[in-house]
Amino acid sequence: MAKVTDAVRELALPAVAQCGCTLWDVEYVKEAGVWYLRLYIDKEGGVSIDDCVAVDHLVSPLLDEADPIEGSYTFEVSSAGMERPLRLPEHFSACMGQEVELRLYRALEGKKDWVGVLSGYADGDVKLTTPAGAQTFEKKDIAQVHLYARV
């Protein structure tokens, strides 16, 4: 049996595209005792609440019909956001050359958080270019990576 997120991704992709959006990610998590199924969408020019509602209205009946998840859950559709997490290889490919923040499990050179330009990705290892030079971080050491939005 495929993972829930893979099954939902396959089910939702055509509906999301029909709404003029792309599917950035699918998340199925338990928070405070409640299961959440979340679709994160993206669109050139930004995602509006109307885009989220349109995707919800198309995907909800598909989920009801296919019933890929046992038990109850809360379904949400959201924008991937300006500081979207990068988790999949295609996320890293799409964001190559953009500024990201990388958080490590343990400090390296006295720092857990690194900001730089995403300049490489291979088998989970991430390469950042910072003013101090290029630095490669191993997959096993990386807690998370997300786009960095300066405010």
Side-chain angles (χ1 to χ4, degrees), residues 86-110:
L86 310 182
R87 297 184 321 115
L88 305 172
E90 53 266 30
H91 295 164
F92 288 91
S93 295
C95 295
M96 200 60 60
Q98 295 185 48
E99 198 167 34
V100 300
E101 181 175 17
L102 180 142
R103 174 162 287 151
L104 300 172
Y105 289 113
R106 286 178 297 293
L108 175 68
E109 298 174 14

PDB file of all heavy atoms in Angstrom, residues 86-110:
ATOM      1  N   LEU A  86      11.504  23.033   2.171  1.00  0.00           N
ATOM      2  CA  LEU A  86      12.006  22.238   1.058  1.00  0.00           C
ATOM      3  C   LEU A  86      12.249  20.839   1.593  1.00  0.00           C
ATOM      4  O   LEU A  86      13.089  20.644   2.465  1.00  0.00           O
ATOM      5  CB  LEU A  86      13.302  22.841   0.503  1.00  0.00           C
ATOM      6  CG  LEU A  86      13.299  24.333   0.176  1.00  0.00           C
ATOM      7  CD1 LEU A  86      14.638  24.748  -0.411  1.00  0.00           C
ATOM      8  CD2 LEU A  86      12.167  24.700  -0.747  1.00  0.00           C
ATOM      9  N   ARG A  87      11.472  19.882   1.100  1.00  0.00           N
ATOM     10  CA  ARG A  87      11.596  18.519   1.599  1.00  0.00           C
ATOM     11  C   ARG A  87      11.900  17.510   0.495  1.00  0.00           C
ATOM     12  O   ARG A  87      12.579  16.533   0.723  1.00  0.00           O
ATOM     13  CB  ARG A  87      10.313  18.092   2.323  1.00  0.00           C
ATOM     14  CG  ARG A  87      10.018  18.907   3.554  1.00  0.00           C
ATOM     15  CD  ARG A  87       8.798  18.446   4.356  1.00  0.00           C
ATOM     16  NE  ARG A  87       7.667  18.011   3.590  1.00  0.00           N
ATOM     17  CZ  ARG A  87       7.192  16.762   3.592  1.00  0.00           C
ATOM     18  NH1 ARG A  87       7.743  15.835   4.335  1.00  0.00           N
ATOM     19  NH2 ARG A  87       6.138  16.440   2.853  1.00  0.00           N
ATOM     20  N   LEU A  88      11.354  17.750  -0.679  1.00  0.00           N
ATOM     21  CA  LEU A  88      11.482  16.799  -1.777  1.00  0.00           C
ATOM     22  C   LEU A  88      12.566  17.249  -2.759  1.00  0.00           C
ATOM     23  O   LEU A  88      12.832  18.448  -2.885  1.00  0.00           O
ATOM     24  CB  LEU A  88      10.140  16.680  -2.516  1.00  0.00           C
ATOM     25  CG  LEU A  88       8.933  16.312  -1.645  1.00  0.00           C
ATOM     26  CD1 LEU A  88       7.645  16.418  -2.448  1.00  0.00           C
ATOM     27  CD2 LEU A  88       9.099  14.912  -1.074  1.00  0.00           C
ATOM     28  N   PRO A  89      13.185  16.310  -3.481  1.00  0.00           N
ATOM     29  CA  PRO A  89      14.206  16.700  -4.458  1.00  0.00           C
ATOM     30  C   PRO A  89      13.710  17.768  -5.437  1.00  0.00           C
ATOM     31  O   PRO A  89      14.450  18.698  -5.777  1.00  0.00           O
ATOM     32  CB  PRO A  89      14.530  15.387  -5.179  1.00  0.00           C
ATOM     33  CG  PRO A  89      14.241  14.332  -4.161  1.00  0.00           C
ATOM     34  CD  PRO A  89      13.051  14.850  -3.392  1.00  0.00           C
ATOM     35  N   GLU A  90      12.456  17.671  -5.858  1.00  0.00           N
ATOM     36  CA  GLU A  90      11.923  18.665  -6.805  1.00  0.00           C
ATOM     37  C   GLU A  90      11.797  20.051  -6.170  1.00  0.00           C
ATOM     38  O   GLU A  90      11.881  21.059  -6.865  1.00  0.00           O
ATOM     39  CB  GLU A  90      10.596  18.220  -7.432  1.00  0.00           C
ATOM     40  CG  GLU A  90       9.527  17.827  -6.466  1.00  0.00           C
ATOM     41  CD  GLU A  90       9.455  16.327  -6.156  1.00  0.00           C
ATOM     42  OE1 GLU A  90      10.489  15.631  -6.206  1.00  0.00           O
ATOM     43  OE2 GLU A  90       8.346  15.861  -5.839  1.00  0.00           O
ATOM     44  N   HIS A  91      11.619  20.120  -4.848  1.00  0.00           N
ATOM     45  CA  HIS A  91      11.610  21.411  -4.158  1.00  0.00           C
ATOM     46  C   HIS A  91      12.981  22.082  -4.279  1.00  0.00           C
ATOM     47  O   HIS A  91      13.086  23.271  -4.564  1.00  0.00           O
ATOM     48  CB  HIS A  91      11.277  21.260  -2.675  1.00  0.00           C
ATOM     49  CG  HIS A  91       9.896  20.769  -2.401  1.00  0.00           C
ATOM     50  ND1 HIS A  91       9.536  20.280  -1.172  1.00  0.00           N
ATOM     51  CD2 HIS A  91       8.789  20.705  -3.168  1.00  0.00           C
ATOM     52  CE1 HIS A  91       8.261  19.926  -1.193  1.00  0.00           C
ATOM     53  NE2 HIS A  91       7.790  20.175  -2.403  1.00  0.00           N
ATOM     54  N   PHE A  92      14.022  21.298  -4.053  1.00  0.00           N
ATOM     55  CA  PHE A  92      15.379  21.841  -4.127  1.00  0.00           C
ATOM     56  C   PHE A  92      15.707  22.267  -5.553  1.00  0.00           C
ATOM     57  O   PHE A  92      16.313  23.316  -5.767  1.00  0.00           O
ATOM     58  CB  PHE A  92      16.391  20.827  -3.579  1.00  0.00           C
ATOM     59  CG  PHE A  92      16.316  20.674  -2.085  1.00  0.00           C
ATOM     60  CD1 PHE A  92      15.493  19.720  -1.510  1.00  0.00           C
ATOM     61  CD2 PHE A  92      17.044  21.505  -1.255  1.00  0.00           C
ATOM     62  CE1 PHE A  92      15.403  19.593  -0.129  1.00  0.00           C
ATOM     63  CE2 PHE A  92      16.965  21.386   0.128  1.00  0.00           C
ATOM     64  CZ  PHE A  92      16.135  20.430   0.691  1.00  0.00           C
ATOM     65  N   SER A  93      15.305  21.471  -6.534  1.00  0.00           N
ATOM     66  CA  SER A  93      15.536  21.837  -7.940  1.00  0.00           C
ATOM     67  C   SER A  93      14.846  23.147  -8.284  1.00  0.00           C
ATOM     68  O   SER A  93      15.425  24.021  -8.933  1.00  0.00           O
ATOM     69  CB  SER A  93      15.030  20.736  -8.872  1.00  0.00           C
ATOM     70  OG  SER A  93      15.761  19.567  -8.694  1.00  0.00           O
ATOM     71  N   ALA A  94      13.597  23.291  -7.843  1.00  0.00           N
ATOM     72  CA  ALA A  94      12.818  24.492  -8.158  1.00  0.00           C
ATOM     73  C   ALA A  94      13.383  25.742  -7.492  1.00  0.00           C
ATOM     74  O   ALA A  94      13.185  26.851  -7.990  1.00  0.00           O
ATOM     75  CB  ALA A  94      11.353  24.288  -7.739  1.00  0.00           C
ATOM     76  N   CYS A  95      14.073  25.575  -6.376  1.00  0.00           N
ATOM     77  CA  CYS A  95      14.549  26.731  -5.600  1.00  0.00           C
ATOM     78  C   CYS A  95      16.053  26.962  -5.717  1.00  0.00           C
ATOM     79  O   CYS A  95      16.610  27.793  -4.996  1.00  0.00           O
ATOM     80  CB  CYS A  95      14.152  26.556  -4.139  1.00  0.00           C
ATOM     81  SG  CYS A  95      12.362  26.579  -3.915  1.00  0.00           S
ATOM     82  N   MET A  96      16.701  26.253  -6.640  1.00  0.00           N
ATOM     83  CA  MET A  96      18.138  26.423  -6.819  1.00  0.00           C
ATOM     84  C   MET A  96      18.438  27.888  -7.143  1.00  0.00           C
ATOM     85  O   MET A  96      17.740  28.517  -7.932  1.00  0.00           O
ATOM     86  CB  MET A  96      18.617  25.514  -7.960  1.00  0.00           C
ATOM     87  CG  MET A  96      20.080  25.223  -7.945  1.00  0.00           C
ATOM     88  SD  MET A  96      20.712  24.380  -6.455  1.00  0.00           S
ATOM     89  CE  MET A  96      19.823  22.858  -6.410  1.00  0.00           C
ATOM     90  N   GLY A  97      19.439  28.454  -6.477  1.00  0.00           N
ATOM     91  CA  GLY A  97      19.817  29.852  -6.698  1.00  0.00           C
ATOM     92  C   GLY A  97      19.077  30.838  -5.802  1.00  0.00           C
ATOM     93  O   GLY A  97      19.367  32.029  -5.824  1.00  0.00           O
ATOM     94  N   GLN A  98      18.138  30.344  -5.003  1.00  0.00           N
ATOM     95  CA  GLN A  98      17.405  31.216  -4.095  1.00  0.00           C
ATOM     96  C   GLN A  98      18.006  31.129  -2.689  1.00  0.00           C
ATOM     97  O   GLN A  98      18.676  30.158  -2.336  1.00  0.00           O
ATOM     98  CB  GLN A  98      15.923  30.830  -4.057  1.00  0.00           C
ATOM     99  CG  GLN A  98      15.229  31.043  -5.394  1.00  0.00           C
ATOM    100  CD  GLN A  98      13.748  30.777  -5.294  1.00  0.00           C
ATOM    101  OE1 GLN A  98      13.084  31.263  -4.391  1.00  0.00           O
ATOM    102  NE2 GLN A  98      13.232  29.989  -6.227  1.00  0.00           N
ATOM    103  N   GLU A  99      17.717  32.144  -1.888  1.00  0.00           N
ATOM    104  CA  GLU A  99      18.232  32.178  -0.525  1.00  0.00           C
ATOM    105  C   GLU A  99      17.376  31.275   0.367  1.00  0.00           C
ATOM    106  O   GLU A  99      16.150  31.325   0.327  1.00  0.00           O
ATOM    107  CB  GLU A  99      18.226  33.619   0.005  1.00  0.00           C
ATOM    108  CG  GLU A  99      19.112  33.801   1.204  1.00  0.00           C
ATOM    109  CD  GLU A  99      19.358  35.267   1.528  1.00  0.00           C
ATOM    110  OE1 GLU A  99      18.451  36.094   1.327  1.00  0.00           O
ATOM    111  OE2 GLU A  99      20.467  35.566   1.996  1.00  0.00           O
ATOM    112  N   VAL A 100      18.057  30.445   1.151  1.00  0.00           N
ATOM    113  CA  VAL A 100      17.384  29.514   2.051  1.00  0.00           C
ATOM    114  C   VAL A 100      17.986  29.609   3.444  1.00  0.00           C
ATOM    115  O   VAL A 100      19.104  30.105   3.625  1.00  0.00           O
ATOM    116  CB  VAL A 100      17.464  28.047   1.552  1.00  0.00           C
ATOM    117  CG1 VAL A 100      16.814  27.884   0.199  1.00  0.00           C
ATOM    118  CG2 VAL A 100      18.898  27.539   1.533  1.00  0.00           C
ATOM    119  N   GLU A 101      17.220  29.129   4.410  1.00  0.00           N
ATOM    120  CA  GLU A 101      17.743  28.963   5.766  1.00  0.00           C
ATOM    121  C   GLU A 101      17.765  27.475   6.061  1.00  0.00           C
ATOM    122  O   GLU A 101      16.772  26.776   5.831  1.00  0.00           O
ATOM    123  CB  GLU A 101      16.879  29.690   6.789  1.00  0.00           C
ATOM    124  CG  GLU A 101      17.421  29.547   8.200  1.00  0.00           C
ATOM    125  CD  GLU A 101      16.654  30.352   9.242  1.00  0.00           C
ATOM    126  OE1 GLU A 101      15.517  30.762   8.952  1.00  0.00           O
ATOM    127  OE2 GLU A 101      17.199  30.557  10.333  1.00  0.00           O
ATOM    128  N   LEU A 102      18.888  27.013   6.552  1.00  0.00           N
ATOM    129  CA  LEU A 102      19.085  25.607   6.874  1.00  0.00           C
ATOM    130  C   LEU A 102      19.312  25.502   8.374  1.00  0.00           C
ATOM    131  O   LEU A 102      20.102  26.255   8.931  1.00  0.00           O
ATOM    132  CB  LEU A 102      20.299  25.098   6.090  1.00  0.00           C
ATOM    133  CG  LEU A 102      20.701  23.655   6.262  1.00  0.00           C
ATOM    134  CD1 LEU A 102      21.172  23.108   4.911  1.00  0.00           C
ATOM    135  CD2 LEU A 102      21.792  23.504   7.283  1.00  0.00           C
ATOM    136  N   ARG A 103      18.598  24.604   9.016  1.00  0.00           N
ATOM    137  CA  ARG A 103      18.755  24.389  10.467  1.00  0.00           C
ATOM    138  C   ARG A 103      19.339  22.995  10.680  1.00  0.00           C
ATOM    139  O   ARG A 103      18.860  22.020  10.123  1.00  0.00           O
ATOM    140  CB  ARG A 103      17.415  24.517  11.172  1.00  0.00           C
ATOM    141  CG  ARG A 103      17.518  24.144  12.661  1.00  0.00           C
ATOM    142  CD  ARG A 103      16.381  24.646  13.477  1.00  0.00           C
ATOM    143  NE  ARG A 103      16.560  26.084  13.601  1.00  0.00           N
ATOM    144  CZ  ARG A 103      15.554  26.936  13.737  1.00  0.00           C
ATOM    145  NH1 ARG A 103      14.334  26.509  13.780  1.00  0.00           N
ATOM    146  NH2 ARG A 103      15.785  28.229  13.854  1.00  0.00           N
ATOM    147  N   LEU A 104      20.358  22.946  11.515  1.00  0.00           N
ATOM    148  CA  LEU A 104      21.023  21.690  11.837  1.00  0.00           C
ATOM    149  C   LEU A 104      20.518  21.126  13.160  1.00  0.00           C
ATOM    150  O   LEU A 104      20.044  21.867  14.020  1.00  0.00           O
ATOM    151  CB  LEU A 104      22.536  21.921  11.940  1.00  0.00           C
ATOM    152  CG  LEU A 104      23.232  22.445  10.683  1.00  0.00           C
ATOM    153  CD1 LEU A 104      24.680  22.817  11.003  1.00  0.00           C
ATOM    154  CD2 LEU A 104      23.170  21.415   9.575  1.00  0.00           C
ATOM    155  N   TYR A 105      20.671  19.823  13.334  1.00  0.00           N
ATOM    156  CA  TYR A 105      20.337  19.198  14.611  1.00  0.00           C
ATOM    157  C   TYR A 105      21.322  19.631  15.700  1.00  0.00           C
ATOM    158  O   TYR A 105      20.943  19.871  16.831  1.00  0.00           O
ATOM    159  CB  TYR A 105      20.352  17.671  14.502  1.00  0.00           C
ATOM    160  CG  TYR A 105      19.209  17.114  13.693  1.00  0.00           C
ATOM    161  CD1 TYR A 105      19.445  16.485  12.474  1.00  0.00           C
ATOM    162  CD2 TYR A 105      17.894  17.210  14.131  1.00  0.00           C
ATOM    163  CE1 TYR A 105      18.407  15.956  11.736  1.00  0.00           C
ATOM    164  CE2 TYR A 105      16.852  16.696  13.397  1.00  0.00           C
ATOM    165  CZ  TYR A 105      17.109  16.065  12.198  1.00  0.00           C
ATOM    166  OH  TYR A 105      16.074  15.556  11.457  1.00  0.00           O
ATOM    167  N   ARG A 106      22.615  19.708  15.317  1.00  0.00           N
ATOM    168  CA  ARG A 106      23.662  20.104  16.251  1.00  0.00           C
ATOM    169  C   ARG A 106      24.475  21.228  15.631  1.00  0.00           C
ATOM    170  O   ARG A 106      24.682  21.269  14.420  1.00  0.00           O
ATOM    171  CB  ARG A 106      24.589  18.916  16.543  1.00  0.00           C
ATOM    172  CG  ARG A 106      23.961  17.864  17.444  1.00  0.00           C
ATOM    173  CD  ARG A 106      24.877  16.674  17.691  1.00  0.00           C
ATOM    174  NE  ARG A 106      25.252  15.866  16.541  1.00  0.00           N
ATOM    175  CZ  ARG A 106      24.432  15.103  15.834  1.00  0.00           C
ATOM    176  NH1 ARG A 106      23.170  15.049  16.150  1.00  0.00           N
ATOM    177  NH2 ARG A 106      24.863  14.387  14.819  1.00  0.00           N
ATOM    178  N   ALA A 107      24.962  22.107  16.471  1.00  0.00           N
ATOM    179  CA  ALA A 107      25.733  23.268  15.996  1.00  0.00           C
ATOM    180  C   ALA A 107      27.001  22.829  15.263  1.00  0.00           C
ATOM    181  O   ALA A 107      27.661  21.863  15.641  1.00  0.00           O
ATOM    182  CB  ALA A 107      26.091  24.173  17.159  1.00  0.00           C
ATOM    183  N   LEU A 108      27.301  23.573  14.219  1.00  0.00           N
ATOM    184  CA  LEU A 108      28.537  23.419  13.467  1.00  0.00           C
ATOM    185  C   LEU A 108      29.199  24.793  13.445  1.00  0.00           C
ATOM    186  O   LEU A 108      28.551  25.778  13.094  1.00  0.00           O
ATOM    187  CB  LEU A 108      28.229  22.954  12.032  1.00  0.00           C
ATOM    188  CG  LEU A 108      29.405  22.863  11.075  1.00  0.00           C
ATOM    189  CD1 LEU A 108      30.351  21.731  11.496  1.00  0.00           C
ATOM    190  CD2 LEU A 108      28.912  22.610   9.652  1.00  0.00           C
ATOM    191  N   GLU A 109      30.439  24.845  13.876  1.00  0.00           N
ATOM    192  CA  GLU A 109      31.155  26.123  13.987  1.00  0.00           C
ATOM    193  C   GLU A 109      30.366  27.119  14.849  1.00  0.00           C
ATOM    194  O   GLU A 109      30.320  28.311  14.573  1.00  0.00           O
ATOM    195  CB  GLU A 109      31.427  26.711  12.601  1.00  0.00           C
ATOM    196  CG  GLU A 109      32.307  25.835  11.735  1.00  0.00           C
ATOM    197  CD  GLU A 109      32.466  26.358  10.315  1.00  0.00           C
ATOM    198  OE1 GLU A 109      32.122  27.531  10.048  1.00  0.00           O
ATOM    199  OE2 GLU A 109      32.932  25.574   9.469  1.00  0.00           O
ATOM    200  N   GLY A 110      29.692  26.584  15.877  1.00  0.00           N
ATOM    201  CA  GLY A 110      28.959  27.415  16.824  1.00  0.00           C
ATOM    202  C   GLY A 110      27.587  27.875  16.351  1.00  0.00           C
ATOM    203  O   GLY A 110      26.942  28.662  17.027  1.00  0.00           O
TER     204      GLY A 110
END
